[in-house]
Amino acid sequence: MDAQTTRSTAVDVAARITGYATQPPLQRFLIRCHEEFKPDHSGALADYIPELKRANPAHFGIALATIDGHIYEVGDSAVPFTIQSVSKAFVFALALDLVGEERVEAAIGVEPSGEAFNSIRLTNDNKPFNPMVNAGAIACSGLIHEVDGPAAFERIRAKLSQFAGRELDVDDAVHASETATGNRNRAIAWLLRNYLVLQDDVDAVLDTYFRQCAILVTARDLAVMAGTLANRGVNPVTGIQVITPHVVARTLSVMTSSGMYDYAGEWIYRVGIPAKSGVGGGIVAALPSQIGLGTFSPCLDSHGNSVRGLKVCEALSARFDLHMLNRSADVRTCIIADYDVLGISSRRSRQPHEQQILDERHSDIRVIELVGALNFASIDYVTRRLAVEPPNAPLLILDFRRVPDITAAGARLLGEKLTLLGNSGVTTILTGLEMTSAVWTTIRAAVTDPQRLRRFDLLDDAIEWAEDQIIYRYGGFTESRETAHLGEQALLADLAPDEIAALAELSTTRRYEAGHRIISAGEPANSLFFLQRGMVSVKLPSGVRLASLGPGMEFGEMAIIERERSADVWADTEVKCLELPLDAFADYRRLHPQIAMKIMRNLSALLARRLILANAKVDLLSAY
């Protein structure tokens, strides 16, 4: 080897090492699996279908799909092969969806057979043991054929394409080979016809079955198909709802007990992930709410399962503790914060007498912030926490902004609790939920009288609304009141009447319609405003609200220490205010330095209160 070749080889090796080092941990793990198991040449190609013997035994691909649509791929993950028996799980799901559970269960059992996939044996009541063996799969194809006749296969191909997220084709050579040699399957089909499990033309149903087994897929396709099952029937790549969550649960159940044929018990013991294999060399495995795995390696063991594929699944489950029966979760972590509004008010600034009511009645508003996917057990914990002191806060706010999902069982339990609370006089406000969110839809459907629920997109809006209810109930609601006297302004506290009058003479009365932007972020800070009537909101350019202000409050006061506006101020209602130009105010301060000191002291107190409030919220969250 010459020096140039040596240098080129060294560069290639260095590049591979660098590339490996920058890969995500899961990708690196799959690469290691591929390198470790690729030298394993044990097993043999399927030979009962002659065309399958043409497969390349060196092919080995791994793909993994997350439920947010990310795909990890290693090796021959894009090499097409026929889906074979892996199709059985997805066609079973289609049959459940198309003809209904009752019809499917009348024709097919759900018990493991403990025998090979192509066993010619039925249950005592003359039904296939389950849809994962050939007899059950042929029966599933027959049920679909009863509905669609000659179009049955196209229905199957289209549904499997939805699962895969792309249009799938058929290997005509494998279809022809299977048709020519499928006498054992013919015997099974005629046995089913004898017991009226099949009610259509046997040859037509068999052709549908043979063609579905000859559909071409890749390891990547299988990962996406498994990811769709793991994602409650929603394709994680396309976002399409391919099948209902109810059907997914039934499909995964049978995959768990029977998907790996007479190796099923060993599989669930060692791997613990619902799976299905095929003699084409594919394995599909779906771990609910986490991942979908697809592998391809055509050499099979004595049970008809891919040798390398089994090893990948075992290694993945063992390395990351993915066995579905070895779960650990503490339901107490579903509540991130539980508090009343003492020191944790909304962004709405209040008049002193209004704030006094809130300080006195702070325990009348209870806020519980939830986090994570909520299930039956976590909602049970929440309902028990609702009975903990304070037991009967008349206003309960449940914040769901950190909740991506809630199970139907959890929603039913929560719905019953919210109904009981409503009957006892508690008003429940749900926040962090948009009208179109799946969580809101699930909860709303579970509540006896959803009209009694209040819903806000933002937690701060809910707290403000609850505060308004408390203030109104205890006689302090003064939103429409006009405050003409500048002496009520916090910024001008402790100023003498003549000093306030002098400032009033420097000010100009301004009026604004609702929806008008009074101050714009980025413009020069050249005046401050004293609000006399109406409501304004201080917002970032992004639309995030920083504060809402009412009569007797000031805005734009940061102009005293800033040169440029940092936020917008919008009129929420018709507004009347006094505008004090800063140049005139500066002349006044030079003539009356003692007044300037009072105003700066008041501004410091205002900023300190805001900082205390912000710190209280930080302390609250850090306590959980």
Side-chain angles (χ1 to χ4, degrees), residues 92-145:
F92 173 58
L94 172 58
L96 287 172
D97 190 55
L98 185 63
V99 304
E101 284 184 69
E102 184 177 354
R103 179 71 183 92
V104 173
E105 291 169 3
I108 307 165
V110 292
E111 294 294 336
S113 68
E115 298 188 8
F117 64 92
N118 58 358
S119 170
I120 307 180
R121 192 166 77 89
L122 303 180
T123 64
N124 291 334
D125 54 352
N126 300 315
K127 295 193 301 187
F129 279 89
N130 62 72
M132 301 297 130
V133 294
N134 286 13
I138 293 170
C140 277
S141 299
L143 291 172
I144 297 169
H145 197 276

Short mmCIF file of all heavy atoms in Angstrom, two decimals, residues 92-145:
data_model
loop_
_atom_site.label_atom_id
_atom_site.label_comp_id
_atom_site.label_asym_id
_atom_site.label_seq_id
_atom_site.Cartn_x
_atom_site.Cartn_y
_atom_site.Cartn_z
N PHE A 92 -55.32 -7.49 10.48
CA PHE A 92 -56.23 -7.71 11.61
C PHE A 92 -56.81 -6.38 12.09
O PHE A 92 -58.02 -6.26 12.33
CB PHE A 92 -55.47 -8.40 12.73
CG PHE A 92 -56.25 -8.54 14.02
CD1 PHE A 92 -57.47 -9.21 14.06
CD2 PHE A 92 -55.76 -8.01 15.20
CE1 PHE A 92 -58.19 -9.34 15.25
CE2 PHE A 92 -56.46 -8.13 16.40
CZ PHE A 92 -57.69 -8.79 16.41
N ALA A 93 -55.96 -5.36 12.21
CA ALA A 93 -56.43 -4.04 12.61
C ALA A 93 -57.45 -3.51 11.60
O ALA A 93 -58.49 -2.93 11.97
CB ALA A 93 -55.26 -3.07 12.73
N LEU A 94 -57.17 -3.69 10.32
CA LEU A 94 -58.10 -3.25 9.28
C LEU A 94 -59.43 -3.99 9.40
O LEU A 94 -60.51 -3.38 9.28
CB LEU A 94 -57.48 -3.48 7.91
CG LEU A 94 -58.40 -3.25 6.69
CD1 LEU A 94 -58.96 -1.83 6.69
CD2 LEU A 94 -57.66 -3.56 5.39
N ALA A 95 -59.40 -5.30 9.64
CA ALA A 95 -60.63 -6.08 9.77
C ALA A 95 -61.47 -5.59 10.95
O ALA A 95 -62.69 -5.43 10.84
CB ALA A 95 -60.30 -7.57 9.92
N LEU A 96 -60.81 -5.33 12.08
CA LEU A 96 -61.54 -4.81 13.24
C LEU A 96 -62.21 -3.48 12.90
O LEU A 96 -63.36 -3.23 13.28
CB LEU A 96 -60.58 -4.61 14.41
CG LEU A 96 -60.06 -5.86 15.13
CD1 LEU A 96 -58.97 -5.47 16.13
CD2 LEU A 96 -61.19 -6.59 15.85
N ASP A 97 -61.50 -2.65 12.19
CA ASP A 97 -62.02 -1.32 11.85
C ASP A 97 -63.12 -1.41 10.80
O ASP A 97 -64.09 -0.64 10.85
CB ASP A 97 -60.87 -0.46 11.33
CG ASP A 97 -61.25 1.01 11.18
OD1 ASP A 97 -61.71 1.60 12.17
OD2 ASP A 97 -61.10 1.56 10.07
N LEU A 98 -62.99 -2.35 9.89
CA LEU A 98 -63.91 -2.42 8.75
C LEU A 98 -65.21 -3.15 9.09
O LEU A 98 -66.31 -2.68 8.76
CB LEU A 98 -63.22 -3.11 7.58
CG LEU A 98 -63.99 -3.17 6.25
CD1 LEU A 98 -64.24 -1.77 5.72
CD2 LEU A 98 -63.20 -4.01 5.22
N VAL A 99 -65.13 -4.31 9.75
CA VAL A 99 -66.34 -5.10 9.99
C VAL A 99 -66.75 -5.11 11.46
O VAL A 99 -67.83 -5.62 11.79
CB VAL A 99 -66.17 -6.56 9.47
CG1 VAL A 99 -65.80 -6.56 8.01
CG2 VAL A 99 -65.13 -7.31 10.30
N GLY A 100 -65.88 -4.60 12.34
CA GLY A 100 -66.24 -4.52 13.75
C GLY A 100 -65.76 -5.72 14.56
O GLY A 100 -65.57 -6.82 14.04
N GLU A 101 -65.59 -5.47 15.85
CA GLU A 101 -65.06 -6.51 16.75
C GLU A 101 -65.96 -7.74 16.80
O GLU A 101 -65.50 -8.88 16.81
CB GLU A 101 -64.90 -5.95 18.16
CG GLU A 101 -63.71 -5.04 18.35
CD GLU A 101 -63.59 -4.61 19.79
OE1 GLU A 101 -63.26 -5.46 20.64
OE2 GLU A 101 -63.83 -3.42 20.07
N GLU A 102 -67.26 -7.51 16.86
CA GLU A 102 -68.18 -8.64 17.03
C GLU A 102 -68.04 -9.64 15.90
O GLU A 102 -67.98 -10.86 16.12
CB GLU A 102 -69.61 -8.12 17.14
CG GLU A 102 -70.63 -9.22 17.42
CD GLU A 102 -72.03 -8.66 17.60
OE1 GLU A 102 -72.20 -7.42 17.63
OE2 GLU A 102 -72.97 -9.48 17.72
N ARG A 103 -67.98 -9.12 14.67
CA ARG A 103 -67.88 -10.01 13.51
C ARG A 103 -66.52 -10.72 13.48
O ARG A 103 -66.44 -11.93 13.18
CB ARG A 103 -68.07 -9.20 12.23
CG ARG A 103 -67.96 -10.01 10.94
CD ARG A 103 -69.14 -10.94 10.75
NE ARG A 103 -69.01 -11.77 9.57
CZ ARG A 103 -68.46 -12.98 9.57
NH1 ARG A 103 -67.99 -13.50 10.70
NH2 ARG A 103 -68.38 -13.67 8.45
N VAL A 104 -65.46 -9.99 13.81
CA VAL A 104 -64.13 -10.60 13.81
C VAL A 104 -64.03 -11.67 14.89
O VAL A 104 -63.54 -12.78 14.64
CB VAL A 104 -63.04 -9.52 14.01
CG1 VAL A 104 -61.66 -10.17 14.19
CG2 VAL A 104 -63.01 -8.56 12.84
N GLU A 105 -64.51 -11.36 16.09
CA GLU A 105 -64.41 -12.32 17.19
C GLU A 105 -65.28 -13.56 16.97
O GLU A 105 -64.98 -14.63 17.50
CB GLU A 105 -64.80 -11.63 18.49
CG GLU A 105 -63.78 -10.58 18.94
CD GLU A 105 -64.29 -9.71 20.07
OE1 GLU A 105 -65.42 -9.97 20.55
OE2 GLU A 105 -63.57 -8.79 20.49
N ALA A 106 -66.33 -13.41 16.17
CA ALA A 106 -67.16 -14.58 15.86
C ALA A 106 -66.42 -15.56 14.95
O ALA A 106 -66.71 -16.76 14.95
CB ALA A 106 -68.46 -14.12 15.20
N ALA A 107 -65.46 -15.04 14.19
CA ALA A 107 -64.75 -15.88 13.23
C ALA A 107 -63.37 -16.31 13.69
O ALA A 107 -62.87 -17.36 13.28
CB ALA A 107 -64.63 -15.14 11.89
N ILE A 108 -62.72 -15.51 14.56
CA ILE A 108 -61.32 -15.73 14.90
C ILE A 108 -61.12 -15.60 16.41
O ILE A 108 -61.65 -14.67 17.02
CB ILE A 108 -60.41 -14.71 14.17
CG1 ILE A 108 -60.69 -14.70 12.67
CG2 ILE A 108 -58.93 -15.00 14.44
CD1 ILE A 108 -60.11 -13.51 11.95
N GLY A 109 -60.36 -16.51 17.00
CA GLY A 109 -60.05 -16.41 18.42
C GLY A 109 -58.89 -15.47 18.68
O GLY A 109 -58.31 -14.87 17.75
N VAL A 110 -58.51 -15.36 19.94
CA VAL A 110 -57.39 -14.50 20.30
C VAL A 110 -56.42 -15.22 21.25
O VAL A 110 -55.65 -14.58 21.95
CB VAL A 110 -57.87 -13.18 20.94
CG1 VAL A 110 -58.59 -12.31 19.92
CG2 VAL A 110 -58.77 -13.45 22.15
N GLU A 111 -56.49 -16.55 21.27
CA GLU A 111 -55.61 -17.32 22.16
C GLU A 111 -54.36 -17.78 21.41
O GLU A 111 -54.42 -18.11 20.22
CB GLU A 111 -56.34 -18.54 22.71
CG GLU A 111 -57.52 -18.21 23.61
CD GLU A 111 -57.08 -17.54 24.90
OE1 GLU A 111 -55.91 -17.73 25.30
OE2 GLU A 111 -57.90 -16.82 25.50
N PRO A 112 -53.19 -17.81 22.08
CA PRO A 112 -51.99 -18.35 21.43
C PRO A 112 -52.18 -19.83 21.11
O PRO A 112 -52.82 -20.56 21.88
CB PRO A 112 -50.88 -18.14 22.46
CG PRO A 112 -51.52 -17.60 23.68
CD PRO A 112 -52.96 -17.33 23.42
N SER A 113 -51.62 -20.23 19.99
CA SER A 113 -51.80 -21.63 19.58
C SER A 113 -50.70 -22.52 20.13
O SER A 113 -50.90 -23.72 20.32
CB SER A 113 -51.79 -21.73 18.05
OG SER A 113 -50.50 -21.42 17.54
N GLY A 114 -49.51 -21.95 20.38
CA GLY A 114 -48.37 -22.77 20.84
C GLY A 114 -47.81 -23.63 19.75
O GLY A 114 -46.98 -24.51 20.01
N GLU A 115 -48.24 -23.40 18.50
CA GLU A 115 -47.78 -24.22 17.38
C GLU A 115 -47.19 -23.33 16.31
O GLU A 115 -47.22 -22.09 16.39
CB GLU A 115 -48.93 -25.05 16.82
CG GLU A 115 -49.51 -26.03 17.84
CD GLU A 115 -50.51 -26.98 17.22
OE1 GLU A 115 -50.65 -26.97 15.98
OE2 GLU A 115 -51.14 -27.73 17.96
N ALA A 116 -46.65 -23.95 15.26
CA ALA A 116 -46.05 -23.21 14.16
C ALA A 116 -47.10 -22.35 13.46
O ALA A 116 -48.30 -22.62 13.53
CB ALA A 116 -45.40 -24.17 13.18
N PHE A 117 -46.62 -21.34 12.74
CA PHE A 117 -47.51 -20.37 12.10
C PHE A 117 -48.43 -21.00 11.06
O PHE A 117 -49.51 -20.50 10.79
CB PHE A 117 -46.69 -19.24 11.46
CG PHE A 117 -45.78 -19.69 10.35
CD1 PHE A 117 -46.20 -19.67 9.03
CD2 PHE A 117 -44.49 -20.14 10.61
CE1 PHE A 117 -45.37 -20.08 8.00
CE2 PHE A 117 -43.65 -20.55 9.60
CZ PHE A 117 -44.09 -20.52 8.29
N ASN A 118 -47.99 -22.10 10.46
CA ASN A 118 -48.78 -22.69 9.37
C ASN A 118 -49.49 -23.98 9.80
O ASN A 118 -49.79 -24.85 8.99
CB ASN A 118 -47.91 -22.96 8.15
CG ASN A 118 -46.73 -23.88 8.47
OD1 ASN A 118 -46.55 -24.29 9.61
ND2 ASN A 118 -45.94 -24.19 7.44
N SER A 119 -49.75 -24.09 11.09
CA SER A 119 -50.42 -25.28 11.62
C SER A 119 -51.83 -25.40 11.04
O SER A 119 -52.56 -24.41 10.93
CB SER A 119 -50.49 -25.20 13.15
OG SER A 119 -51.32 -26.21 13.67
N ILE A 120 -52.21 -26.64 10.70
CA ILE A 120 -53.56 -26.90 10.20
C ILE A 120 -54.38 -27.44 11.37
O ILE A 120 -54.67 -28.62 11.48
CB ILE A 120 -53.57 -27.89 9.03
CG1 ILE A 120 -52.60 -27.42 7.92
CG2 ILE A 120 -54.97 -28.02 8.44
CD1 ILE A 120 -52.54 -28.34 6.72
N ARG A 121 -54.70 -26.55 12.28
CA ARG A 121 -55.47 -26.95 13.45
C ARG A 121 -56.30 -25.78 13.92
O ARG A 121 -55.84 -24.64 13.91
CB ARG A 121 -54.54 -27.42 14.58
CG ARG A 121 -55.28 -28.12 15.71
CD ARG A 121 -54.29 -28.86 16.61
NE ARG A 121 -53.59 -27.93 17.50
CZ ARG A 121 -54.04 -27.58 18.70
NH1 ARG A 121 -55.20 -28.06 19.16
NH2 ARG A 121 -53.34 -26.77 19.47
N LEU A 122 -57.54 -26.06 14.31
CA LEU A 122 -58.44 -25.02 14.77
C LEU A 122 -58.78 -25.26 16.24
O LEU A 122 -58.43 -26.29 16.82
CB LEU A 122 -59.72 -25.02 13.93
CG LEU A 122 -59.56 -24.85 12.40
CD1 LEU A 122 -60.91 -24.88 11.71
CD2 LEU A 122 -58.80 -23.56 12.09
N THR A 123 -59.49 -24.31 16.83
CA THR A 123 -59.93 -24.45 18.22
C THR A 123 -61.05 -25.48 18.30
O THR A 123 -61.56 -25.97 17.28
CB THR A 123 -60.43 -23.10 18.76
OG1 THR A 123 -61.58 -22.71 18.01
CG2 THR A 123 -59.35 -22.04 18.66
N ASN A 124 -61.48 -25.80 19.50
CA ASN A 124 -62.55 -26.77 19.69
C ASN A 124 -63.86 -26.33 19.05
O ASN A 124 -64.70 -27.17 18.70
CB ASN A 124 -62.77 -27.04 21.18
CG ASN A 124 -61.60 -27.78 21.80
OD1 ASN A 124 -60.87 -28.50 21.10
ND2 ASN A 124 -61.41 -27.62 23.10
N ASP A 125 -64.06 -25.02 18.92
CA ASP A 125 -65.28 -24.55 18.25
C ASP A 125 -65.01 -24.19 16.80
O ASP A 125 -65.71 -23.38 16.19
CB ASP A 125 -65.91 -23.36 19.00
CG ASP A 125 -64.91 -22.24 19.22
OD1 ASP A 125 -63.71 -22.42 18.94
OD2 ASP A 125 -65.34 -21.15 19.67
N ASN A 126 -63.93 -24.76 16.24
CA ASN A 126 -63.63 -24.69 14.80
C ASN A 126 -63.36 -23.27 14.31
O ASN A 126 -63.83 -22.84 13.25
CB ASN A 126 -64.77 -25.32 13.99
CG ASN A 126 -64.98 -26.77 14.35
OD1 ASN A 126 -64.01 -27.53 14.45
ND2 ASN A 126 -66.23 -27.17 14.57
N LYS A 127 -62.55 -22.53 15.08
CA LYS A 127 -62.10 -21.21 14.67
C LYS A 127 -60.57 -21.18 14.69
O LYS A 127 -59.94 -21.95 15.42
CB LYS A 127 -62.62 -20.12 15.62
CG LYS A 127 -64.12 -19.95 15.63
CD LYS A 127 -64.52 -18.64 16.34
CE LYS A 127 -64.04 -18.59 17.77
NZ LYS A 127 -64.57 -17.39 18.50
N PRO A 128 -59.97 -20.31 13.90
CA PRO A 128 -58.51 -20.13 14.02
C PRO A 128 -58.17 -19.66 15.44
O PRO A 128 -58.95 -18.95 16.08
CB PRO A 128 -58.20 -19.03 13.00
CG PRO A 128 -59.34 -19.08 12.03
CD PRO A 128 -60.54 -19.48 12.82
N PHE A 129 -57.01 -20.07 15.93
CA PHE A 129 -56.63 -19.69 17.29
C PHE A 129 -56.51 -18.18 17.46
O PHE A 129 -56.93 -17.62 18.47
CB PHE A 129 -55.31 -20.37 17.68
CG PHE A 129 -55.48 -21.79 18.11
CD1 PHE A 129 -55.43 -22.83 17.18
CD2 PHE A 129 -55.71 -22.11 19.44
CE1 PHE A 129 -55.60 -24.15 17.58
CE2 PHE A 129 -55.87 -23.43 19.84
CZ PHE A 129 -55.82 -24.46 18.90
N ASN A 130 -55.90 -17.54 16.49
CA ASN A 130 -55.68 -16.09 16.57
C ASN A 130 -55.36 -15.56 15.17
O ASN A 130 -55.06 -16.34 14.27
CB ASN A 130 -54.57 -15.75 17.57
CG ASN A 130 -53.23 -16.36 17.17
OD1 ASN A 130 -52.60 -15.90 16.23
ND2 ASN A 130 -52.81 -17.40 17.89
N PRO A 131 -55.38 -14.26 14.97
CA PRO A 131 -55.15 -13.71 13.64
C PRO A 131 -53.69 -13.65 13.24
O PRO A 131 -53.38 -13.21 12.12
CB PRO A 131 -55.74 -12.29 13.75
CG PRO A 131 -55.66 -11.96 15.19
CD PRO A 131 -55.85 -13.24 15.92
N MET A 132 -52.76 -14.10 14.10
CA MET A 132 -51.35 -14.03 13.77
C MET A 132 -50.82 -15.32 13.14
O MET A 132 -49.70 -15.36 12.65
CB MET A 132 -50.52 -13.70 15.02
CG MET A 132 -50.90 -12.39 15.68
SD MET A 132 -50.61 -10.93 14.65
CE MET A 132 -52.19 -10.10 14.78
N VAL A 133 -51.60 -16.38 13.19
CA VAL A 133 -51.23 -17.60 12.47
C VAL A 133 -51.92 -17.59 11.11
O VAL A 133 -52.85 -16.81 10.87
CB VAL A 133 -51.62 -18.86 13.27
CG1 VAL A 133 -50.80 -18.95 14.54
CG2 VAL A 133 -53.11 -18.87 13.58
N ASN A 134 -51.48 -18.45 10.21
CA ASN A 134 -51.99 -18.41 8.84
C ASN A 134 -53.51 -18.56 8.77
O ASN A 134 -54.18 -17.85 8.00
CB ASN A 134 -51.32 -19.49 7.99
CG ASN A 134 -49.89 -19.14 7.65
OD1 ASN A 134 -49.31 -18.22 8.23
ND2 ASN A 134 -49.30 -19.87 6.71
N ALA A 135 -54.05 -19.47 9.56
CA ALA A 135 -55.50 -19.69 9.51
C ALA A 135 -56.25 -18.42 9.87
O ALA A 135 -57.22 -18.03 9.20
CB ALA A 135 -55.89 -20.83 10.45
N GLY A 136 -55.82 -17.75 10.94
CA GLY A 136 -56.49 -16.53 11.34
C GLY A 136 -56.29 -15.41 10.34
O GLY A 136 -57.20 -14.60 10.10
N ALA A 137 -55.09 -15.32 9.76
CA ALA A 137 -54.82 -14.28 8.77
C ALA A 137 -55.66 -14.48 7.51
O ALA A 137 -56.18 -13.52 6.94
CB ALA A 137 -53.34 -14.27 8.42
N ILE A 138 -55.80 -15.74 7.07
CA ILE A 138 -56.64 -16.02 5.90
C ILE A 138 -58.10 -15.65 6.22
O ILE A 138 -58.82 -15.09 5.38
CB ILE A 138 -56.51 -17.49 5.48
CG1 ILE A 138 -55.10 -17.76 4.95
CG2 ILE A 138 -57.55 -17.87 4.43
CD1 ILE A 138 -54.78 -19.23 4.75
N ALA A 139 -58.52 -15.93 7.44
CA ALA A 139 -59.88 -15.56 7.84
C ALA A 139 -60.07 -14.05 7.83
O ALA A 139 -61.12 -13.54 7.43
CB ALA A 139 -60.18 -16.13 9.23
N CYS A 140 -59.06 -13.30 8.27
CA CYS A 140 -59.13 -11.83 8.22
C CYS A 140 -59.27 -11.35 6.78
O CYS A 140 -60.10 -10.47 6.48
CB CYS A 140 -57.86 -11.22 8.83
SG CYS A 140 -57.90 -11.08 10.62
N SER A 141 -58.47 -11.90 5.90
CA SER A 141 -58.57 -11.53 4.48
C SER A 141 -59.96 -11.86 3.95
O SER A 141 -60.53 -11.12 3.14
CB SER A 141 -57.50 -12.25 3.67
OG SER A 141 -56.21 -11.91 4.11
N GLY A 142 -60.52 -13.00 4.43
CA GLY A 142 -61.86 -13.38 4.00
C GLY A 142 -62.91 -12.39 4.46
O GLY A 142 -63.85 -12.06 3.72
N LEU A 143 -62.80 -11.87 5.66
CA LEU A 143 -63.76 -10.89 6.17
C LEU A 143 -63.72 -9.61 5.34
O LEU A 143 -64.77 -9.01 5.04
CB LEU A 143 -63.45 -10.57 7.64
CG LEU A 143 -63.72 -11.69 8.64
CD1 LEU A 143 -63.20 -11.30 10.02
CD2 LEU A 143 -65.20 -12.01 8.72
N ILE A 144 -62.51 -9.19 4.98
CA ILE A 144 -62.38 -7.99 4.15
C ILE A 144 -62.92 -8.26 2.74
O ILE A 144 -63.56 -7.40 2.14
CB ILE A 144 -60.91 -7.53 4.12
CG1 ILE A 144 -60.48 -7.14 5.53
CG2 ILE A 144 -60.71 -6.36 3.16
CD1 ILE A 144 -58.98 -6.94 5.69
N HIS A 145 -62.69 -9.49 2.26
CA HIS A 145 -63.20 -9.85 0.92
C HIS A 145 -64.72 -9.86 0.90
O HIS A 145 -65.34 -9.54 -0.12
CB HIS A 145 -62.63 -11.21 0.51
CG HIS A 145 -62.74 -11.49 -0.96
ND1 HIS A 145 -63.90 -12.01 -1.53
CD2 HIS A 145 -61.87 -11.32 -1.98
CE1 HIS A 145 -63.73 -12.16 -2.82
NE2 HIS A 145 -62.50 -11.73 -3.13
#
